[in-house]
Amino acid sequence: MLTKEQLIEYSEDARKTYLDHISIDCVVFGFHEGQMKVLLLKPDDEEKWLLPGGFVQKLEPIEMAANRILKERTGLDKIFLQQFHIFGDPDRAKFHHDLYKDTVPDEENWFAKRFLSIGYYALVDFFGVVPQADQFSELCTWRDLDDMPELLLDHELIFKTALDTLRLQLNYQPIGYNLMPGEFTMPELQKLYETILDKKLDRRNFQRRILGFGILTRAEQPRKGGAHKAPYLYSFDLEKYQNALTEGFKGGW
């Protein structure tokens, strides 16, 4: 919790720099060791967690603001970002209103404003991320999708909406280029899809369908080593992958 002096100073600086009533919240997905991960912030002196987010500078395009915010939290540039929803419940700011109501009047508290928050989800390379906490947080780290802590504000709703959107996207667009290593096996890619969808997929049907999209290139030689028959390695054909993102494909898993 900020002191009265810190809160007033931050609020004055924020009014000079940022647009009133518009914020951005990001759900950052990574994939590591067969687990989907979500990047979260642990605020100072709080048990609950937050999604990475921030505000839009007065002369800054929305997309540029989202990229800037995520670069500050991840160290990555040119992240795959998808805008998925706007959150505008009138009580979104109730937590900050109650937290500081006895410290300063609402009109002097930047955090007590009613913000419309633009939700983005990002798909990133787990190994490329260097998590960085913001000035109000003690920790920025990955959490497993099946071990999520309790979230502050309406960030639980934002997270669940992002996950639902990602699952829906699997029905008409490819997923994986931003989450998988440069080369991978078919079982590894299937594990990614199963983890996102939270259900088992038939091995033969998955392979037939994913190859039917024409977005994968198979290596000439299988992966070396191992006691059993070595699986073939695949990589994404980036040009065909980008076309599939634009044109889409039909069907469901």
Side-chain angles (χ1 to χ4, degrees):
M1 180 173 177
L2 299 177
T3 65
K4 178 179 179 180
E5 291 74 19
Q6 289 173 326
L7 179 59
I8 291 174
E9 181 181 3
Y10 182 87
S11 297
E12 290 177 350
D13 290 342
R15 280 190 288 270
K16 295 175 184 176
T17 306
Y18 301 112
L19 294 173
D20 284 350
H21 308 309
I22 299 178
S23 61
I24 290 176
D25 286 300
C26 303
V27 184
V28 184
F29 293 106
F31 188 66
H32 178 55
E33 295 183 344
Q35 286 281 345
M36 283 293 289
K37 308 280 186 176
V38 181
L39 194 67
L40 296 179
L41 291 163
K42 176 73 165 56
D44 295 330
D45 305 319
E46 287 289 341
E47 293 301 318
K48 299 180 181 180
W49 294 61
L50 289 170
L51 297 166
F55 304 108
V56 181
Q57 296 175 5
K58 290 185 176 181
L59 299 178
E60 186 179 37
I62 298 294
E63 296 287 338
M64 189 175 294
N67 276 281
R68 171 181 55 80
I69 290 166
L70 284 185
K71 186 174 183 179
E72 292 170 355
R73 300 285 73 79
T74 68
L76 296 178
D77 202 0
K78 298 180 180 179
I79 295 175
F80 175 87
L81 277 170
Q82 181 71 48
Q83 187 181 130
F84 66 92
H85 197 71
I86 294 178
F87 301 86
D89 191 285
D91 290 331
R92 291 192 71 243
K94 186 177 186 305
F95 171 79
H96 287 116
H97 174 270
D98 293 347
L99 184 64
Y100 291 113
K101 65 181 180 180
D102 297 326
T103 305
V104 297
D106 286 353
E107 57 269 21
E108 295 183 30
N109 176 11
W110 174 262
F111 297 105
K113 294 178 179 292
R114 179 186 175 184
F115 284 98
L116 300 177
S117 188
I118 304 171
Y120 282 86
Y121 73 80
L123 307 179
V124 302
D125 176 5
F126 177 87
F127 292 103
V129 172
V130 181
Q132 297 289 331
D134 62 24
Q135 61 182 310
F136 306 109
S137 303
E138 62 188 53
L139 183 63
C140 180
T141 190
W142 293 104
R143 296 293 299 257
D144 289 348
L145 194 64
D146 58 1
D147 185 33
M148 292 285 288
E150 193 172 357
L151 301 179
L152 280 167
L153 308 175
D154 57 352
H155 286 202
E156 180 75 20
L157 173 63
I158 296 174
F159 159 68
K160 289 182 176 179
T161 305
L163 183 59
D164 288 343
T165 304
L166 181 62
R167 287 170 172 166
L168 179 64
Q169 182 186 342
L170 282 178
N171 290 321
Y172 61 89
Q173 285 184 325
I175 288 289
Y177 174 73
N178 311 84
L179 296 169
M180 299 295 289
E183 290 187 317
F184 47 85
T185 66
M186 191 63 68
E188 289 168 345
L189 184 60
Q190 181 173 336
K191 179 63 177 178
L192 170 65
Y193 275 61
E194 290 177 339
T195 303
I196 294 173
L197 294 170
D198 193 27
K199 68 177 183 180
K200 294 291 292 183
L201 300 173
D202 179 78
R203 179 181 62 83
R204 292 183 179 179
N205 288 340
F206 175 82
Q207 181 167 324
R208 185 185 310 114
R209 182 159 188 244
I210 201 73
L211 291 177
F213 296 148
I215 58 175
L216 297 181
T217 300
R218 194 179 83 171
E220 293 184 2
Q221 300 295 327
R223 175 179 286 174
K224 296 181 179 180
H228 304 287
K229 182 179 178 181
Y232 276 93
L233 290 169
Y234 292 84
S235 60
F236 286 105
D237 183 312
L238 185 55
E239 182 178 352
K240 293 180 180 178
Y241 186 94
Q242 294 293 349
N243 288 338
L245 281 176
T246 302
E247 299 174 5
F249 44 69
K250 297 180 180 179
W253 296 97

